[in-house]
Amino acid sequence: MGFSETFFERIKKGIGKMKENISRELTDTRKKTAGIYEKAESEILKSVSETGKDMLDDTVKNQKDIVSAQSLYASEKVRIEKKRKEQSEALARAEYEEKLASAKDSAKAAKLIREENFRLEKSADEEYLEQLKSAAEKEKQVRSEEFSALKNSLDLGYITQSEYYSRLAGLRDKYFEEDSDEWVKY
């Protein structure tokens, strides 16, 4: 029996050492895994942050492209409308000249001149109003895009909330008259 006890004791010691080695290796593996996990998590967060910034940059670029395209469209629309108006003016002017030439007396000629002057003034007023409307729409669009880009910067974490409110106050003061309804809103 002496032989068996010594043999079993050696086996127990060997098993104990194996358990210690396995435990040490398991601890080392956990540490390595935790390091790998932290590094991967850091890389993922960095990638997401860069992707978010890229997405914001792309959004801003797309908004600028849209504004540019809309501006080009508006310019072309104005050019075409101006050309139509010029053609219409030329036709109206020709009709006026024809009526004036056929006027038999000075009273009728004076009446035609007054009508033509009234038509020209009305046309100029309409064109002026259209230009004012167009300028107001462009300003409103630019303002809206600036407020939207500022909000996106906050949402994506590129600026702090304090910086957001500071910039928001700047935009408010830039676009709205102090104490107006819009100014109070911001």
Side-chain angles (χ1 to χ4, degrees):
M1 272 216 210
F3 172 75
S4 303
E5 286 180 28
T6 309
F7 177 73
F8 286 120
E9 286 176 11
R10 279 191 266 159
I11 289 178
K12 281 184 183 180
K13 284 181 185 178
I15 289 174
K17 284 185 180 182
M18 287 173 66
K19 283 182 181 180
E20 287 176 16
N21 287 339
I22 289 172
S23 178
R24 198 175 320 115
E25 286 179 16
L26 184 58
T27 301
D28 290 345
T29 302
R30 283 183 184 151
K31 287 179 183 177
K32 288 178 185 176
T33 303
I36 291 170
Y37 174 77
E38 287 173 8
K39 184 176 179 182
E41 183 180 34
S42 172
E43 290 295 320
I44 288 170
L45 288 175
K46 183 179 174 184
S47 174
V48 166
S49 175
E50 289 174 1
T51 301
K53 184 175 183 329
D54 290 344
M55 288 173 64
L56 178 62
D57 291 343
D58 288 346
T59 301
V60 169
K61 182 186 178 299
N62 288 341
Q63 286 178 343
K64 286 180 180 178
D65 290 345
I66 289 169
V67 169
S68 178
Q70 289 172 339
S71 178
L72 179 62
Y73 171 77
S75 296
E76 280 299 304
K77 182 178 176 184
V78 167
R79 186 185 66 77
I80 290 170
E81 287 174 0
K82 186 176 180 181
K83 190 169 186 167
R84 281 188 193 150
K85 190 169 261 189
E86 286 172 356
Q87 290 171 347
S88 177
E89 284 291 322
L91 180 60
R93 188 71 179 169
E95 287 175 4
Y96 164 74
E97 295 290 336
E98 185 179 319
K99 286 179 184 178
L100 189 59
S102 67
K104 297 204 178 193
D105 58 33
S106 62
K108 192 172 182 181
K111 181 182 176 191
L112 286 173
I113 291 171
R114 282 192 308 274
E115 288 174 356
E116 179 64 10
N117 287 339
F118 176 76
R119 187 188 65 75
L120 290 173
E121 286 176 12
K122 184 179 175 186
S123 175
D125 289 345
E126 288 172 356
E127 186 174 335
Y128 178 70
L129 286 175
E130 283 300 316
Q131 289 173 350
L132 285 177
K133 286 179 187 177
S134 177
E137 279 298 315
K138 285 179 184 178
E139 182 180 332
K140 184 178 179 181
Q141 184 178 7
V142 167
R143 179 180 64 225
S144 175
E145 288 172 3
E146 283 189 57
F147 279 98
S148 178
L150 181 61
K151 179 71 171 128
N152 286 341
S153 294
L154 174 67
D155 291 344
L156 292 172
Y158 294 121
I159 60 173
T160 63
Q161 200 168 26
S162 173
E163 189 176 356
Y164 168 77
Y165 285 112
S166 174
R167 288 185 185 181
L168 184 64
L171 288 176
R172 173 200 65 197
D173 293 345
K174 176 180 176 183
Y175 287 112
F176 303 116
E177 187 175 322
E178 189 171 342
D179 294 329
S180 67
D181 290 341
E182 294 89 1
W183 188 87
V184 172
K185 180 180 171 184
Y186 292 101

